[in-house]
Amino acid sequence: MLAFFRSWGPSALDGARMAASLGLTEPGRLIQSHRDGASYALFPGLWGAPLKSPVPAILPGGDKVLFTGWFDNLHEIATRLGVPPQDAALVYGHAVRRWGDEADLHVVGCYCAVIDRPDSGEVRLSRSALTAPPLHYHRSARGIAAASTPRALIALGLPARLNEERLAMHLHAAAFDAPGGWYDGIEALQPGVVVTATREGERRAKPYDPTALSELRLPRDEDYVEAAESLMAEGIARTVAGFNRPGTLLSGGLDSTIVASHLLDRLPPDQTLPAFTWVHEAGSQVADSPSHFADERSRVESFAAMHPRVVPHFIDNAGRGFEDGLLDLFLLAGTTATAIGLLFPYHGAFAAARSAGCDLIIGAGYGNVTFSGEGRRAYTEFFRPGKLRQLWQALAARPGDQRAMWRRFLSLTLLRQMADPVWQAVSRWRGVTVPDPHRIAGALSPDWPGKAQLEAAARRADPAMARPFYRSRREEVAAMASDMDADGSDLMQALQQRHAIAYRDVTRYRPFLEFCWRLPVDQMMRDGQGRFLARRMGQGRLPESLRTEIRYGLQHGDWHLRIGRRREALLAELRTLHGDPQVRRMVDTARLIQMLEEFPADDQVEREVVLQYQIALPNGLAAARLIRYVSGTNC
C-alpha cells in the first residue's frame, strides 16, 4: 500500500498524518520519508516480496517512484531495459521512461504506482490494466495526493463526505468500473488509467483495450488445453514466488480444484497444501436442486483423497452473519459494495489460513468467466456460420429446459438475433419477464432522483443488465472487463489487512485471462457440453464425479438460518435507521423492514426471493451503517 502528497503552497494538509494512517494495522512496518515538499509512504509486505530499495525509489534523473502490488514479468522487462531486476519500483520507473503511457501494456502484474517528477512538476499515477490494487486521488490548488485507501487522504485533511452518486450506484446494483469516487474531492482511479497531473491540469490515457483482443484459432483441440494449462502453471509459479506457505480456497466445483491441482505441481513434493472450504452451518435445511448441489464437503474430501497432500479445513462460520466484520471493512476500506453480504465467509477462511501458518491464499474467483465458461453464447453464434449440428446439441442439452426444441430455437437463437428494442417488444408480447437486477439486489430509495441514469450507464457497460445474453465475444469481453474491479479491490485489500495475509486470484493473471477471452465459443461449448475446456483440463486431475458434474455449488445456502436468528435485532436496527433522514434519503429502509416482517417460514422460496435476502438486505443495511459511520452517528 502507498500514500503520496506534494504540496503546491501553504496548506493545512498533513502528509505525516496521511502516512501514519496507512500503517494503521501494523505501524511498525510503515516506511515513510518527507523531502522537497513531498511525503512518501509505503506499507510493505502485504503483497509478498520484500523491498530492495529505499522509499521512494529514485531513478538516475531524480524521478521518485512508489510502487505497490506485484510485477509478474519483472525479469523479462528488466532484461529488455538492460537494468538489474532488483526492485519492482525501479524497473517500473525505467519502463515508464522507455515506453511512456504504453509501459503498462508491457508490464504484467497487479499494481498501482506514483512517479513524482519534481523537476517538471509532473506526477504520474497509474493502475495496472484489468486488475489492480486501489488508488485514490486528489488534486486541487493545495496540492496533489494519492493513496491506496481513502482513509489516508482523509487523514491528510480532506473532508470525509460520502459521494452519494457512488453509494447510489452500489445500492442500486448498478456498479461497474465507473469514473468518480467514494468521497467528494477524492477520485477512485479505474484500472488501466494513467493520469499525468500538474498544478495547471492533467492528461489522461487508458492504453489497454481488451476488446482489441482477436479471436484465437489453434490447429487442434488439444492445443487449447495445453496452452491453457501452460499459462495457468506460469501464472501460479509467478504468484507463489516469494511466499513460503501458500494455501488455497477450495470448493467442490471445477475451477478451484483444477487450480489447486496445478498449485500442487508448483510446490516442493514434500509440501502439503492447506485448503479452506466454507460449508453450511449445522442446523440449516439445505438441499440439492436441479441446478445446484449443497454438499461441498464430500466433493472436497474426494479431491483430497486423490491428492493426499491437500489438507482440507472446513469452516462453517457458526453463529456468524452477513453483518459480522462490517465495521472492520469500513475502518480499513471506507467503502461498501452491492454484494458485501457475501463477504463474511472470507473472514473465517482468512483467519483459519493465518492460524495454519499460511502467508498467501490462492483463489480462482474468475474461473467462470475465463477457462470454465459455459459457452452459452453458442446459442446465437453457432447459428450464424451454420453450425446447425452443434446448435442442435447445445439446445438439446440445455440443463433444466423442458420446452419443445422449436421453442428453444425460437427463444434462444432466432429472437436473440433481433435488435434490442425488437427483442424487448417481442418478449413483452410473449409475456416473458426479464429478471431486474436492480430490484433483486438493489436497496436504493425509490425516491432517489438519478435511478434512470444509473440504470442506463450500467446497461451501456454490460448489456446483460437488460437482457440475459451476449451477442458476440467482443460484447461479452467488454462487459466482463467493465466489471473486473467495480470497487471490489478496496474490500479485498481491507480483508488482507485485517487478517495480515495476502490473497491472489490466479485466474486474473493477465496472459491467462487474455487467452481465455480470445477463445472461440466452440472451446467452451461442444457437442452440447458446457465448460468444455475446463472439463478437458480436469482429466486425470479431478475425480470423474467432480469433472462431469453439471451443477454448481450452492454458496450461502444457509441464509435462512443466519438471518432468521438475528431477525428481531436486524428489524430493530432498521426501524431506528428508518428514522434517520440522511439514511432514509438513500436507502429503501421501508422495503427492508417489510422483508424482515414477512420473513419466510423456511428457505423453500423462489430464487429471486433468496437473492433479495442474500444481497439486497445486506446491501441496504451496510450502506446505512456506512452513512452513519462516516457521519459519526452511532446506531
Side-chain angles (χ1 to χ4, degrees), residues 477-500:
V477 167
M480 291 188 294
S482 76
D483 194 37
M484 285 290 291
D485 185 29
D487 299 325
S489 59
D490 290 274
L491 294 171
M492 290 309 298
Q493 178 178 266
L495 280 166
Q496 292 170 85
Q497 282 185 271
R498 170 64 182 81
H499 298 285

Side-chain angles (χ1 to χ4, degrees), residues 7 41 56 103 190 246 257 289 298 344 422 424-425 428 461 484 539 576 603 627:
S7 174
Q190 300 164 265
T257 46
S289 72
S298 65
F344 77 90
V422 179
Q424 290 163 358
R428 287 192 297 270
M484 285 290 291
Q539 289 177 345
T576 299
D603 62 2
I627 291 169

Side-chain angles (χ1 to χ4, degrees), residues 42 193 243 304 367 379 490 623:
L42 202 68
V193 167
F243 292 95
Y379 302 141
D490 290 274

Side-chain angles (χ1 to χ4, degrees), residues 1 37 105 113 136 167 192 244 269 274 290 295 299 304 317 354 370 393 422 426 461 481 516 625:
M1 297 173 64
L105 300 177
H136 300 266
L167 184 58
N244 297 313
D295 179 20
R299 289 165 171 79
N317 292 290
R354 184 70 176 166
T370 52
Q393 291 180 314
V422 179
V426 172
C516 294
R625 286 189 180 183

Side-chain angles (χ1 to χ4, degrees), residues 119-170:
D119 290 347
S120 65
E122 288 184 347
V123 176
R124 181 187 189 272
L125 313 173
S126 59
R127 289 184 77 196
S128 51
L130 298 179
T131 182
L135 187 62
H136 300 266
Y137 159 56
H138 168 82
R139 187 181 70 85
S140 68
R142 296 182 291 177
I144 180 171
S148 297
T149 174
R151 73 168 185 269
L153 299 183
I154 292 168
L156 177 70
L158 300 178
R161 189 168 55 246
L162 273 175
N163 182 291
E164 292 187 343
E165 288 294 328
R166 195 66 160 206
L167 184 58
M169 182 177 75
H170 284 270

Side-chain angles (χ1 to χ4, degrees), residues 286-290 292-295 299 551:
V286 182
D288 290 349
S289 72
H292 291 85
F293 58 82
D295 179 20
R299 289 165 171 79
R551 297 170 299 175

